[in-house]
Amino acid sequence: MGDITPMDEFCGSTFWDVNATWWTVDPDFTICFEQTVLVWAPCAFFWAFVLIDFWYLKASLDRNIPWNKLNIGKVLFNVGLIIITALDLIMALVKKGEADIPMYPVDIWTPVIKLATFIMLLIFIPLNRKYGVQTSGCQFLFWFFLVIFSIPRCRTEARMHQERSDIINSQNATPHDFSWETYQFCSFFIFFTLSVLMLILNCFGDQLPRQTKYKRGPKEIPELSASFLSRITYSWFDKMALKGYRNPLEEEDLWDLRPQDSCKEVMPTFAYYWNKNVRKNYRRMANAQETKAQFSNGKVSFENPQKNGKKKGMASIMPPIYKSFGGIFLFGSFFKLITDVLTFAQPQVLSLIIGYVEDYQTNPQPEWKGIMYSILLFVLASAQTFILAQYFHRMFIVGLRIRTALINCIYRKALRISNAARKSSTVGEIVNLMAVDAQRFMDLTTYLNMLWSAPLQIALALYFLWQQLGPSVLAGLAVMVIMIPLNGFIASRIKTYQIRQMKYKDERVKLMNEVLSGIKVLKLYAWEPSFEKQVLGIRDKEIATLRATAYLNASTSFLWSCAPFLVSLVTFATYVLSDEANQLSVSKALVSISLFEIMRLPLAVMPMLMVDIVETQVSVKRINKFLNSEELDPDNVQHDSSKPHPMSIENGHFSWGDEDELTLKNINMEVRKQNLVAIVGTVGSGKSSVIQAFLGEMEKISGTVNTVGKMAYVPQQAWIQNATVRDNILFGKAYDRKRYNQVIDACALRTDIEILSAGDRTEIGEKGINLSGGQKQRISLARAVYSNADLYLLDDPLSAVDSHVGKHIFEEVLGPKGMLAKKTRVLVTHGITFLPQADNIYVMKMGEISESGTYSELLRNRGAFADFLMQHLQEGEAEAEEIDQIKRQLSQTDPALIAPFEKAILLARTESLSDSISVTSADSLMGGSLRRRNKRQDSYDSTASAASLKKKQELEGKLIEIEKSQTGGVDFSVYKHYIKSVGIFLSVATLVLNLVFQAFQIGSNLWLTQWSNDKEVEHNTDKRNMYLGVYGAFGFGQVGLTYFASLCGSLAGLQCSRTMHNVLLHANLRWPMELFDTTPLGRIVNRFSKDIDTVDNTLPFNIRFVLSQIYMVLATIVVISISTPIFLAVIVPIAFIYYFAQRFYVATSRQLMRLESVSRSPIYSHFGETVTGVSTIRAYTVEERFIEESDSKVDKNQVCKYPSLIANRWLAVRLEMVGNLIILFASLFAVLGGQTNPGLVGLSVSYSLQVTQTLNWLVRMSSDIETNIVSVERIKEYGETKQEAPWELESDKKHPKNWPEGGRVEFKDFQVRYREGLDLVLRGVTFNISGGEKVGIVGRTGAGKSSLTLALFRIIEAAGGKIMIDGIDIATMGLHMLRSRLTIIPQDPVLFSGSLRSNLDPFEVKTDDEIWKALELAHLKTFAKSLTAGLNHEISEGGENLSVGQRQLVCLARALLRKTKVLILDEATAAVDLETDDLIQKTIRSEFKECTVLTIAHRLNTIMDSDKVIVLDKGQITEFASPTELLSDPKSAFYSMAKDANLV
């Protein structure tokens, strides 16, 4: 027997017998081993991990699970186990007394250990119940291992029982006392049964807890109550997968967020560590009070790193991140460690299998070993699958939480950041912190562990390789190391090209954006071809860059695919050539190859990881800089109620954050209770700054500011949220109908709301895009009035509204009889009319208060205020009634002032007529700040824009058709379209090259096994060299093919994206105007940016990847089938399982991705909105509400994001199990099939080992293709939309060359509507205009004036009747023929970025002299001459660097250059001051004498001298005669209009 070990003594029998367990055909363990190790191991496992269970109890958010069948069952079975174990112990002690049976320690210790464990488990049942823990992994695994490890003992006990009964039944039986053995037999089986029952009970999760920290709704995520088993297999996700497969998921199908991941749980932890970190950084102030992050009523406060004296350093976000989320991260890393180790067990088992097959002929091993190896391989792979899934899951959660914490942290900071700090970065940059930098963390967490895991894997691989091949490994390693810098070099080249491509892409998108914004003008001028050419020019440069990238990409993939091959070639060559004795055996060759495969991934990932880490570091720096920037000092404004007046500033000096530059000096101001105080002054004198000082937005250098009471603030530029009109006015207050209606009437919003399609429930676009300036201003005012505050700060709220509306608002809201009469008001204003009613007036000059007092006091002083009045009048801004009013006021106060006053007015009148003045003179064009915003906008301002809206607005209040988020699968026609765009030749070439490449790869591997199987090589060097040579040839064949296959794929993709972009552009420019009206610009631009980018970059890569993966899988199946043909039988069911998993996943995941991207943008747009409106939010002190809104938006995004991450894991577990089955069957068949060729067997098993990863990637990538091919679908959809009439027609050539010569325009019973299904806008209009007549067209808003011009240009096509110009029906011509022969000066001047010249003459057909002549006539010559670049002066996007007046003049110059017989003048409403207006009128009268001029008038005085006037009403002509004729008839509509305008 050999030596007796301590364990043998412990049991009283042999502990380990190799012959019984290993060198045998019928293996079995010894009884001692079964009773010790197999019982102790599960118990040891439980005690080792019991701490985790305690941690779960502590971390649980719920309490109190009710008693139910499940946990009562657990208690009963557990008590049963305790009783049976106690009985074992007692029986052993009792037996010990009976001398005849010797007693061993094992009989005591094993029951004691079991007893302790079971009691511990029993204690956990009520604990778990009390703390609401519904399932425990540690306990499940304990029962699982206990049952598995008891199985050998079952077999032993059963055998021994059989032997005993044989002895008893045998004839010559000596009486035996088997009572102890029989007792052990019975007790063991009772114990085993109870254990199995416990295992089954542990497969289920317990019921829902009664008390939960957060309400658990019906839509609670099943994961919370899922059992451990369900969690590791993700079977709780099945419902969602099934639902998503049956019909596309909608938002309401999603589950609620797990409470642990919501902002409410993540933020306090993060804030706590952040504040701690801030305090540590500013320890010098430590004697100040220690504050904790305050969790009072769920609010989270972040401490400001700035507040404590001088900085010691930046507070970084990294330490709080480690501390808040490090725990889960480390737990995940532990899983990663386990899988890394398991990875290397596989090649070892592989070599065992090869050994088994090699011995099969000479000295066969027992069959059970082969089966055991196969099962071992399967178990290893499965364990790896489950553990890896948990690892990724943990990492995703950490990533999500970090992102949540950062987004919220940035949001909270943005609400407090000081103005100086905010100026240092644009809104876009701040939003990017959230959109890009916070997202980076999330992407990185998954790969961060590769930092230690990759070197570990490489080191282990090298260690095992060294064992196989000795020092020759170093040769292979050298090749790998050389590859890395090569790759690095190529990667950096690719990066430069990518940056260049991004630059071109941005240029192209910017140009497209402009083209689409000004599409109407392009159509009116027939300028599309010129712009199409420009876009295509940029696109060609972009394609060239992409082509260069394609070559580089091909070379990287070439390097990577040849890397593993070259490595193995070099290693094997070194190995066999370095020493005659070194022979390549099968197991050496295959094990080495699989080890090289393992090394390949970490080597590939390392360089990428480095780049990622560097990028994330940049992000960390940016976020830190932002979070450490200055905040507004809350002490800027005191709230001391003992002061006599509600608002006061004493000796205030203020700046906008630059210490040296004072904006306001020596401000002393007090506002008495219920007074109206006006602040006036010239532009830039600091009026608005005073208001900001009251709000605490300015940096206070010295002095005190005091306000007592609730604030309301109306900013100069109205800040409107993307919400309904009503929400904008209520602004978070409760809806009180009576008050609300009062406010709406007072702010003159009633008419506007009635015109809006859904009344006050109409949604307002971002930044108030579908409202006019005046409407925005009034809504902003209504918000303030509704808020019912005590103090009102009004920053020029009347600048954007017309005079009569302004008067109404003043009387109803601000004045002594208005709604706010009892409030304290500060009003910044430019209107002089209201000043007499102010209780006090402060006059600002150069940032100081120059004088103050009541209206009459100030007039008597004849100081700055009187100057201000004069200046105001001279600017020709005042209307007649205003002037009379001022005269009256003056005569009452100071008659001496009337004379200079009259003179000033006279001066203003004459100036505006004389055009000798250079156009650039002073302010007349530049328009001071925002005030003189448009010569008192035309009185129809509000109604006009609202009515035009009415036409655009579709269904109830939704301005825009909702973008269809494509649901369901993608049509095959889309793929067909893609392949067609690629071209047949390239498609076929790509497929064939990939196929041949794969064939070569299989070939080289088969050749290697042939070589290693060949026994003659040992004695025959020539043969060896022949093998080596052919192997090398195979390899280089592969290498060449990869390059071409990859290149072919990339070029195919490029070819396709080029065709698609051109088709898209071509189609889009030919859209009819109505499509542009209903499709938001952003959506079209999105096609040109995002979708084209996908087709450029993402799709070709995806498709290449998928092709190679598909061929990989095919290769695997081929190789396995060559070695074990029976495998084909299994492949069919496996393929089925695989296909179903894939279909389920793709359907669900695609929809989840779509929902996720839809729910992501509101986070950023809400943030952008907040950053722009931050001063309003602070003024109303509603920060908390906005923080909550932001939180809920983040949570909503997580609701969509979390399931899509889970879907990934769900799929991975299922697919990898399919892969594991392939491994199991491949190895089983190899072992059982009596295989004689070890090389083939090894090859088929090593191929099957790779297949898991491949299958996984294949589904991911193919679902990516499905997600991304949607871009092709969308481009295709836009390329096939309805087009307008053709631009050129053959028949155009028949028309006279210089048509229209006479300029006769006749309408015959003309009818038109904007779009199908809308009412007619013009209903049978008939009139005749002879050549050269000047005709004015007037009518109220919506009468159809503009429709008339649009119909002339066929922007909207006739619904009946026709228009003839010079006797030719315009419907019979090509659009460009028609549009290029008419001239229009449109209402809003649209300029494009580019030179001044290209804006006048995009086709470059005119000479310089002609252009200068036109500029001179348009009064722009002096301006153009003053520019350094002259005609090549760069105009910025939308003409931002010219004033509005100058833009209008450029449009005039365009018209002068064209000089056609028919001119249409769509009167500019408000863009031009009187001076420019007169210039334009004069030029038109002199230059277009001979032409037919149609003027659409908004101001009657411009058409008083025309030959005829057309009065339109509701789409019909009511009057058509000369103005004098119409004015002589007091009943005519024209007369009443003239009367309204004070012209009669």
Side-chain angles (χ1 to χ4, degrees), residues 685-698:
S685 59
K687 303 185 297 294
S688 300
S689 302
V690 174
I691 298 260
Q692 299 295 340
F694 271 125
L695 287 172
E697 296 276 320
M698 289 188 82

Side-chain angles (χ1 to χ4, degrees), residues 1192-1351:
S1192 75
K1193 285 184 164 56
V1194 173
D1195 280 349
K1196 192 170 163 193
N1197 175 244
Q1198 310 260 67
V1199 165
C1200 303
K1201 183 101 185 145
Y1202 190 69
S1204 75
L1205 299 177
I1206 294 295
N1208 255 338
R1209 293 297 103 220
W1210 178 86
L1211 175 82
V1213 168
R1214 277 155 189 62
L1215 287 193
E1216 288 184 19
M1217 284 318 281
V1218 171
N1220 297 343
L1221 285 177
I1222 293 182
I1223 294 177
L1224 177 66
F1225 287 117
S1227 52
L1228 261 185
F1229 290 148
V1231 171
L1232 296 179
Q1235 280 293 340
T1236 49
N1237 182 341
L1240 260 183
V1241 168
L1243 191 62
S1244 77
V1245 175
S1246 61
Y1247 258 100
S1248 72
L1249 284 176
Q1250 288 168 38
V1251 83
T1252 344
Q1253 279 308 320
T1254 313
L1255 284 181
N1256 217 331
W1257 275 112
L1258 186 57
V1259 169
R1260 289 266 162 86
M1261 281 298 173
S1262 57
S1263 72
D1264 275 1
I1265 287 192
E1266 282 214 34
T1267 315
N1268 288 322
I1269 202 90
V1270 174
S1271 292
V1272 176
E1273 183 175 21
R1274 289 156 49 157
I1275 293 175
K1276 179 169 175 270
E1277 170 195 14
Y1278 271 29
E1280 291 164 0
T1281 34
K1282 180 171 124 192
Q1283 308 277 289
E1284 57 184 358
W1287 285 352
E1288 328 262 310
L1289 285 173
E1290 279 305 306
S1291 57
D1292 290 352
K1293 295 177 183 149
K1294 299 191 203 116
H1295 300 312
K1297 250 211 164 67
N1298 45 1
W1299 172 94
E1301 289 168 82
R1304 275 194 333 284
V1305 178
E1306 43 190 320
F1307 277 64
K1308 293 189 176 167
D1309 189 26
F1310 188 75
Q1311 301 170 327
V1312 75
R1313 57 166 58 94
Y1314 268 93
R1315 280 199 299 286
E1316 293 298 314
L1318 293 186
D1319 299 339
L1320 288 173
V1321 215
L1322 293 178
R1323 315 165 187 202
V1325 174
T1326 311
F1327 60 88
N1328 242 329
I1329 299 171
S1330 23
E1333 272 193 318
K1334 311 284 176 281
V1335 178
I1337 304 173
V1338 294
R1340 300 251 177 238
T1341 306
K1345 305 190 294 283
S1346 314
S1347 316
L1348 212 66
T1349 45
L1350 294 179

